[in-house]
């Protein structure tokens, strides 16, 4: 029986996918549920599992755009699995001796050697700041003559050797869609960015005091910065709801929940899975959900549903060493918070200079719907919560907040 495998629908709005990579070859025997291809949609990369066991015949090439529902391969389910040969040994390959290649002899040094140019040539080369080793002499036995020195041209530092190749590869459908969305965000929104800085000392003190107990209590889960930032953001969104809203034509859509998109780097590029109802999650809940989504992104298992419906985005460029940036809004959202690396810097504290771990934070927002007062107030609220997490994020009880 010949089974026709068709492209399943990755989501309602997706009409076609692209064959990113075939994981099997034409004529291979495949097992049921074995991953046979990776397909790109404009939202995610998904694996295509075999629907039955048998010999596969490919009907599309890598890079082909294939409509949802189209046949991409055939599986002959009547074919038997190949049997591994028994008792056979690979033929021995006779080793061949490699004949020694004679090494060219260098010209003898001496009065006629290249290392001994004529006196006139030596003077000219010295004036031009040219090494004799850079010149090939045309005189007897390779001697550098006056004419050789006169014709020598000093090197301007332009590289002439090495590999100077180039390659061209087609962007994945996901990368092309990300590019389109970024350009659209720049062209279709009145995007503006405001900045502030956060003293990370209070958070570091809490993490240093409780991270070991947190990890032991919650099955190896780490107490990172993202849970503090997510809690600070959800608090600020409730104080400034315009930042948690979107424009739809001539209407404003406001949300009374906080679905936080978290930008993570996956094997196919940037992905933005969503932490649902983050305002209701504990520190442990935020850390567990972010870890789950990061693992799915790393393993290429993120689905369209995982990345749909966020109301605000947090992007942590600091993990790559970024000191400051202007993050681009993730449409149709109206705001995105950029985190950056933590650097010890001198700051003024109560009239004295002290060194503290500092982070720059950036809020990019759509000025069509968010005014300056709301944007600055939101970022200040984030800063206040991060610099006083015990009172503003933990209700004065760190152990209870961390479920220790």
């Amino acid at each position: 029986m010949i089974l026709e495998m068709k492209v399943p629908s990755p989501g309602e709005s997706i009409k076609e996918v692209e064959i990113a990579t075939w994981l099997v070859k034409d004529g291979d025997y495949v097992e049921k549920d074995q991953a046979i291809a990776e397909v790109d949609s404009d939202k995610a990369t998904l694996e295509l599992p075999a629907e039955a066991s048998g010999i596969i015949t490919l009907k599309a090439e890598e890079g082909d755009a294939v409509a949802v529902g189209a046949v991409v391969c055939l599986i002959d389910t009547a074919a038997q699995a190949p049997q591994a040969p028994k008792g056979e040994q690979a033929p021995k390959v006779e080793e061949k001796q490699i004949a020694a290649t004679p090494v060219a002899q260098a010209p003898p040094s001496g009065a006629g050697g290249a290392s001994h140019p004529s006196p006139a040539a030596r003077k000219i080369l010295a004036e031009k700041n040219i090494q004799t080793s850079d010149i090939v002499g045309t005189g007897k036995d390779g001697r550098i003559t006056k004419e050789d020195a006169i014709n020598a041209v000093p090197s301007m530092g332009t590289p002439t050797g090495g590999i100077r190749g180039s390659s061209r590869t087609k962007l994945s459908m996901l990368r092309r869609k990300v590019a389109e969305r970024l350009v659209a965000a720049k062209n279709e929104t009145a995007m503006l960015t405001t900045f502030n800085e956060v003293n990370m000392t209070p958070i570091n003190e809490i993490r240093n005091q409780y991270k070991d107990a947190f990890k032991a209590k919650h099955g190896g889960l780490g107490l990172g910065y993202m849970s503090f930032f997510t809690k600070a953001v959800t608090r600020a969104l409730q104080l400034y709801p315009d930042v948690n809203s979107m424009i739809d034509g001539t209407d404003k859509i406001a949300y009374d929940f906080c679905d936080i998109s978290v930008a993570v780097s996956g094997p196919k590029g940037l992905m933005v899975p969503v932490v649902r109802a983050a305002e209701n999650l504990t520190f442990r809940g935020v850390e567990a959900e972010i870890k789950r989504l990061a693992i799915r992104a790393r393993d290429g298992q993120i689905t369209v549903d995982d990345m749909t419906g966020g109301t605000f985005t947090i992007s942590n460029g600091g993990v790559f060493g970024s000191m400051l940036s202007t993050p681009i809004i993730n449409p149709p959202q109206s705001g995105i918070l950029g985190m950056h690396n933590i650097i010890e810097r001198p700051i003024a504290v109560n009239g004295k200079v002290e060194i503290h771990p500092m982070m720059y934070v950036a809020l990019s927002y759509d000025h069509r719907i968010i005014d300056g007062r709301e944007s600055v107030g939101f970022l200040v609220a984030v800063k206040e919560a991060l610099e006083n997490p015990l009172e503003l994020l933990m209700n004065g009880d760190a152990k209870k907040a961390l479920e220790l």
Side-chain angles (χ1 to χ4, degrees):
M1 175 182 173
I2 302 298
L3 172 68
E4 292 184 338
M5 271 199 59
K6 299 179 180 180
V7 177
S9 175
E12 290 184 9
S13 61
I14 299 176
K15 303 301 181 184
E16 71 174 14
V17 298
E18 188 175 279
I19 304 298
T21 307
W22 281 111
L23 304 177
V24 296
K25 298 188 295 293
D26 196 52
D28 281 357
Y29 185 87
V30 298
E31 299 286 349
K32 187 177 186 299
D33 296 327
Q34 174 186 344
I36 60 174
E38 290 182 350
V39 294
D40 281 342
S41 71
D42 59 6
K43 294 185 177 179
T45 298
L46 306 172
E47 286 188 344
L48 186 66
E51 296 177 3
S53 300
I55 299 294
I56 192 169
T57 302
L58 308 184
K59 291 295 183 181
E61 300 289 337
E62 290 185 359
D64 285 355
V66 184
V68 170
V71 176
V72 288
C73 64
L74 306 175
I75 298 179
D76 182 0
T77 58
Q80 299 296 318
Q83 298 294 323
K86 297 181 180 180
E88 294 187 6
Q89 294 182 353
K92 295 182 179 179
V93 179
E94 294 184 1
E95 297 182 356
K96 296 182 179 180
Q97 292 185 347
I98 301 175
T101 304
V103 179
Q105 297 295 322
S109 61
S115 60
H116 287 77
S118 68
R122 182 184 297 279
K123 181 179 179 182
I124 295 171
L125 292 176
E127 291 173 351
K128 291 185 175 184
N129 196 26
I130 298 176
Q131 300 294 323
T132 58
S133 58
D134 295 336
I135 305 300
V136 178
T138 61
K140 184 179 179 181
D141 295 329
R143 186 183 181 92
I144 299 175
T145 66
K146 179 180 178 180
E147 288 72 20
D148 294 332
I150 293 172
N151 295 329
V153 178
S155 172
M156 301 302 294
T158 302
T160 57
I163 299 174
R164 291 174 57 81
S166 63
S167 62
R168 180 187 294 267
T169 56
K170 187 176 182 180
L171 293 175
S172 68
M173 185 175 288
L174 175 61
R175 174 55 64 184
R176 296 199 302 270
K177 187 63 177 179
V178 168
E180 291 173 6
R181 287 169 62 85
L182 293 177
V183 172
K186 294 285 285 185
N187 292 338
E188 298 173 8
T189 66
M191 194 173 76
L192 192 63
T193 305
T194 184
F195 303 93
N196 215 314
E197 62 180 359
V198 176
N199 185 344
M200 300 295 290
T201 299
I203 290 178
N204 285 347
E205 290 175 349
I206 292 174
R207 291 182 69 243
N208 291 337
Q209 183 176 355
Y210 296 109
K211 64 181 180 181
D212 292 338
F214 187 87
K215 187 173 184 178
K217 177 67 178 295
H218 302 302
L221 197 63
L223 179 60
Y225 292 110
M226 283 302 299
S227 54
F228 288 91
F229 273 82
T230 302
K231 298 291 286 183
V233 163
T234 56
R235 172 182 176 272
L237 288 175
Q238 292 169 333
L239 293 173
Y240 297 91
D242 279 350
V243 184
N244 199 42
S245 60
M246 303 178 188
I247 287 182
D248 184 16
T250 58
D251 298 331
K252 180 177 82 169
I253 303 175
Y255 299 95
D256 58 3
F257 56 88
C258 302
D259 283 355
I260 305 299
S261 303
V262 181
V264 297
S265 181
K268 296 294 183 178
L270 184 69
M271 296 184 178
V272 194
V274 180
V275 178
R276 310 286 177 185
E279 76 278 11
N280 297 326
L281 295 179
T282 62
F283 281 83
R284 181 191 62 81
V286 172
E287 293 290 355
E289 183 64 2
I290 290 178
K291 181 179 180 180
R292 183 185 73 85
L293 293 170
I295 291 173
R296 287 177 64 82
R298 181 197 65 194
D299 296 342
Q301 298 176 345
I302 285 289
T303 65
V304 175
D305 290 340
D306 290 328
M307 298 190 292
T308 302
T311 63
F312 186 87
T313 296
I314 300 175
S315 177
N316 186 5
V319 296
F320 304 111
S322 172
M323 184 185 76
L324 193 62
S325 67
T326 55
I328 298 178
I329 296 170
N330 179 23
Q333 298 173 16
S334 298
I336 178 172
L337 179 74
M339 300 168 56
H340 301 92
N341 61 356
I342 301 172
I343 298 177
E344 289 194 344
R345 291 191 284 110
I347 62 172
V349 178
N350 297 324
K352 297 181 180 180
V353 176
E354 297 181 6
I355 295 177
H356 286 269
M358 304 297 295
M359 176 193 287
Y360 289 118
V361 288
L363 172 70
S364 291
Y365 60 98
D366 189 345
H367 211 342
R368 297 176 302 167
I369 193 171
I370 303 170
D371 292 331
R373 185 183 70 86
E374 282 75 20
S375 62
V376 173
F378 172 89
L379 196 56
V380 169
V382 170
K383 171 185 170 70
E384 289 173 346
L386 294 172
E387 292 186 339
N388 189 10
L390 185 62
E391 296 300 324
L392 299 182
L393 300 180
M394 296 177 161
N395 293 322
D397 191 339
K399 285 189 174 182
K400 184 176 180 181
L402 298 176
E403 302 173 63
L404 299 178

